[in-house]
PDB file of all heavy atoms in Angstrom:
ATOM      1  N   SER A 122     -16.047  29.356   8.731  1.00 71.00           N
ATOM      2  CA  SER A 122     -15.677  29.679   7.352  1.00 71.00           C
ATOM      3  C   SER A 122     -16.178  28.596   6.404  1.00 71.00           C
ATOM      4  O   SER A 122     -16.307  27.437   6.775  1.00 71.00           O
ATOM      5  CB  SER A 122     -14.163  29.820   7.234  1.00 71.00           C
ATOM      6  OG  SER A 122     -13.554  28.600   7.560  1.00 71.00           O
ATOM      7  N   ARG A 123     -16.444  28.964   5.179  1.00 77.00           N
ATOM      8  CA  ARG A 123     -16.929  28.045   4.154  1.00 77.00           C
ATOM      9  C   ARG A 123     -15.785  27.627   3.253  1.00 77.00           C
ATOM     10  O   ARG A 123     -14.925  28.428   2.915  1.00 77.00           O
ATOM     11  CB  ARG A 123     -17.990  28.715   3.284  1.00 77.00           C
ATOM     12  CG  ARG A 123     -19.334  28.754   3.895  1.00 77.00           C
ATOM     13  CD  ARG A 123     -20.297  29.219   2.853  1.00 77.00           C
ATOM     14  NE  ARG A 123     -21.613  28.694   3.170  1.00 77.00           N
ATOM     15  CZ  ARG A 123     -22.683  28.972   2.487  1.00 77.00           C
ATOM     16  NH1 ARG A 123     -22.604  29.753   1.438  1.00 77.00           N
ATOM     17  NH2 ARG A 123     -23.834  28.471   2.824  1.00 77.00           N
ATOM     18  N   TYR A 124     -15.801  26.356   2.873  1.00 74.00           N
ATOM     19  CA  TYR A 124     -14.815  25.846   1.931  1.00 74.00           C
ATOM     20  C   TYR A 124     -15.462  25.807   0.563  1.00 74.00           C
ATOM     21  O   TYR A 124     -16.486  25.169   0.368  1.00 74.00           O
ATOM     22  CB  TYR A 124     -14.352  24.450   2.352  1.00 74.00           C
ATOM     23  CG  TYR A 124     -13.386  23.835   1.386  1.00 74.00           C
ATOM     24  CD1 TYR A 124     -12.066  24.262   1.329  1.00 74.00           C
ATOM     25  CD2 TYR A 124     -13.787  22.835   0.531  1.00 74.00           C
ATOM     26  CE1 TYR A 124     -11.176  23.707   0.447  1.00 74.00           C
ATOM     27  CE2 TYR A 124     -12.909  22.270  -0.363  1.00 74.00           C
ATOM     28  CZ  TYR A 124     -11.600  22.702  -0.398  1.00 74.00           C
ATOM     29  OH  TYR A 124     -10.711  22.156  -1.284  1.00 74.00           O
ATOM     30  N   ARG A 125     -14.875  26.488  -0.379  1.00 79.00           N
ATOM     31  CA  ARG A 125     -15.422  26.510  -1.740  1.00 79.00           C
ATOM     32  C   ARG A 125     -14.497  25.762  -2.683  1.00 79.00           C
ATOM     33  O   ARG A 125     -13.293  25.965  -2.659  1.00 79.00           O
ATOM     34  CB  ARG A 125     -15.588  27.940  -2.220  1.00 79.00           C
ATOM     35  CG  ARG A 125     -16.651  28.650  -1.430  1.00 79.00           C
ATOM     36  CD  ARG A 125     -16.984  29.952  -2.070  1.00 79.00           C
ATOM     37  NE  ARG A 125     -18.003  30.580  -1.265  1.00 79.00           N
ATOM     38  CZ  ARG A 125     -18.999  31.254  -1.770  1.00 79.00           C
ATOM     39  NH1 ARG A 125     -19.090  31.442  -3.055  1.00 79.00           N
ATOM     40  NH2 ARG A 125     -19.899  31.789  -0.977  1.00 79.00           N
ATOM     41  N   ILE A 126     -15.079  24.915  -3.495  1.00 77.00           N
ATOM     42  CA  ILE A 126     -14.309  24.135  -4.455  1.00 77.00           C
ATOM     43  C   ILE A 126     -14.159  24.960  -5.727  1.00 77.00           C
ATOM     44  O   ILE A 126     -15.136  25.423  -6.307  1.00 77.00           O
ATOM     45  CB  ILE A 126     -15.011  22.810  -4.749  1.00 77.00           C
ATOM     46  CG1 ILE A 126     -15.116  22.004  -3.464  1.00 77.00           C
ATOM     47  CG2 ILE A 126     -14.277  22.029  -5.814  1.00 77.00           C
ATOM     48  CD1 ILE A 126     -16.002  20.813  -3.553  1.00 77.00           C
ATOM     49  N   CYS A 127     -12.899  25.124  -6.148  1.00 84.00           N
ATOM     50  CA  CYS A 127     -12.629  25.917  -7.344  1.00 84.00           C
ATOM     51  C   CYS A 127     -12.330  25.037  -8.557  1.00 84.00           C
ATOM     52  O   CYS A 127     -12.627  25.402  -9.676  1.00 84.00           O
ATOM     53  CB  CYS A 127     -11.442  26.848  -7.095  1.00 84.00           C
ATOM     54  SG  CYS A 127     -11.737  28.023  -5.765  1.00 84.00           S
ATOM     55  N   ASN A 128     -11.710  23.878  -8.314  1.00 86.00           N
ATOM     56  CA  ASN A 128     -11.329  23.021  -9.416  1.00 86.00           C
ATOM     57  C   ASN A 128     -12.145  21.730  -9.344  1.00 86.00           C
ATOM     58  O   ASN A 128     -11.755  20.747  -8.719  1.00 86.00           O
ATOM     59  CB  ASN A 128      -9.822  22.724  -9.343  1.00 86.00           C
ATOM     60  CG  ASN A 128      -9.319  22.091 -10.599  1.00 86.00           C
ATOM     61  OD1 ASN A 128     -10.090  21.558 -11.394  1.00 86.00           O
ATOM     62  ND2 ASN A 128      -8.015  22.138 -10.788  1.00 86.00           N
ATOM     63  N   TRP A 129     -13.281  21.715 -10.023  1.00 87.00           N
ATOM     64  CA  TRP A 129     -14.209  20.595  -9.937  1.00 87.00           C
ATOM     65  C   TRP A 129     -13.646  19.325 -10.554  1.00 87.00           C
ATOM     66  O   TRP A 129     -13.934  18.230 -10.081  1.00 87.00           O
ATOM     67  CB  TRP A 129     -15.536  20.960 -10.594  1.00 87.00           C
ATOM     68  CG  TRP A 129     -16.336  21.868  -9.718  1.00 87.00           C
ATOM     69  CD1 TRP A 129     -16.444  23.213  -9.826  1.00 87.00           C
ATOM     70  CD2 TRP A 129     -17.101  21.499  -8.575  1.00 87.00           C
ATOM     71  NE1 TRP A 129     -17.241  23.715  -8.826  1.00 87.00           N
ATOM     72  CE2 TRP A 129     -17.662  22.673  -8.038  1.00 87.00           C
ATOM     73  CE3 TRP A 129     -17.377  20.300  -7.946  1.00 87.00           C
ATOM     74  CZ2 TRP A 129     -18.474  22.668  -6.924  1.00 87.00           C
ATOM     75  CZ3 TRP A 129     -18.193  20.309  -6.829  1.00 87.00           C
ATOM     76  CH2 TRP A 129     -18.728  21.483  -6.325  1.00 87.00           C
ATOM     77  N   SER A 130     -12.842  19.425 -11.593  1.00 89.00           N
ATOM     78  CA  SER A 130     -12.308  18.213 -12.226  1.00 89.00           C
ATOM     79  C   SER A 130     -11.353  17.478 -11.284  1.00 89.00           C
ATOM     80  O   SER A 130     -11.388  16.253 -11.186  1.00 89.00           O
ATOM     81  CB  SER A 130     -11.616  18.551 -13.543  1.00 89.00           C
ATOM     82  OG  SER A 130     -10.553  19.464 -13.327  1.00 89.00           O
ATOM     83  N   GLU A 131     -10.503  18.197 -10.569  1.00 89.00           N
ATOM     84  CA  GLU A 131      -9.610  17.566  -9.594  1.00 89.00           C
ATOM     85  C   GLU A 131     -10.398  16.994  -8.422  1.00 89.00           C
ATOM     86  O   GLU A 131     -10.089  15.910  -7.930  1.00 89.00           O
ATOM     87  CB  GLU A 131      -8.584  18.569  -9.074  1.00 89.00           C
ATOM     88  CG  GLU A 131      -7.454  18.842 -10.015  1.00 89.00           C
ATOM     89  CD  GLU A 131      -6.425  19.779  -9.403  1.00 89.00           C
ATOM     90  OE1 GLU A 131      -6.398  19.912  -8.160  1.00 89.00           O
ATOM     91  OE2 GLU A 131      -5.664  20.362 -10.177  1.00 89.00           O
TER      92      GLU A 131
END
Side-chain angles (χ1 to χ4, degrees):
S122 62
R123 280 189 154 177
Y124 177 75
R125 293 191 180 218
I126 299 169
C127 299
N128 192 342
W129 284 100
S130 59
E131 282 184 20

